[in-house]
Amino acid sequence: MEPPIPHPTLRTAMAGPGDAAKAAESNKSPKEEVAQRFRDKYSDVLHSRQVRLYEAAWDECIRRELAAARTVVHFCVRYNTSFGQELHVIGSSPELGSWDLAQKVHMCWTEGNVWVARVDFSSGPRAVHYKYVATTDDITLWESGLNHHLEVGSGSVKQSDQWGGG
């Protein structure tokens, strides 16, 4: 036995929400259908553009937060090296090698026998102790005297020191 066929008015009442939209679209002219497709495509492109803009703004916020959370320290020390010697800075923080000679930070020579190094410290105020070391291929000469001391905060700092003046 076959199920009874509903009355025509009941049939439209039982139709889903998408069925009415399809019926309305089928009554549109081809020109109106093309225009609707362009409007839909424009809405999609506009939405994806807004999403990309929001993502870029979010990435920029994160970049600025990370930059603000870092401290850049420029270490400078005057030292007359012998031929083949290089200067390094080493210290108590991970950024300065945690007193491990294999992790020391290389310094660059500049005019006037001033050696410089730039070190980016992660966020958070803390005390850092450090020394300078002169190295050749097989010899390491540690700076004599007390350790140098630096309070790392935020921003950029130029730390000018005297060799042996910690």
Side-chain angles (χ1 to χ4, degrees), residues 1-6:
M1 179 168 156
E2 292 184 26
I5 300 174

Side-chain angles (χ1 to χ4, degrees), residues 19-116:
D19 295 336
K22 288 178 188 173
E25 282 183 17
S26 65
N27 293 339
K28 289 182 182 179
S29 70
K31 211 176 202 182
E32 289 172 330
E33 288 178 11
V34 170
Q36 183 60 44
R37 280 198 306 267
F38 276 110
R39 281 192 292 277
D40 293 343
K41 182 68 176 171
Y42 176 77
S43 293
D44 292 344
V45 169
L46 183 63
H47 175 72
S48 67
R49 181 173 184 262
Q50 287 174 330
V51 167
R52 283 193 313 272
L53 285 173
Y54 288 135
E55 287 173 347
W58 181 253
D59 290 343
E60 179 65 14
C61 288
I62 291 171
R63 187 193 66 76
R64 287 183 183 192
E65 285 292 322
L66 290 174
R70 300 194 74 68
T71 300
V72 177
V73 177
H74 297 272
F75 291 95
C76 304
V77 65
R78 183 183 183 91
Y79 183 75
N80 296 324
T81 56
S82 303
F83 181 75
Q85 272 187 328
E86 292 185 349
L87 239 55
H88 304 274
V89 61
I90 188 168
S92 60
S93 71
E95 294 88 353
L96 294 177
S98 300
W99 299 111
D100 180 5
L101 281 172
Q103 302 295 318
K104 62 190 179 280
V105 176
H106 179 73
M107 299 183 80
C108 297
W109 180 89
T110 62
E111 199 67 35
N113 290 328
V114 176
W115 291 78
V116 297

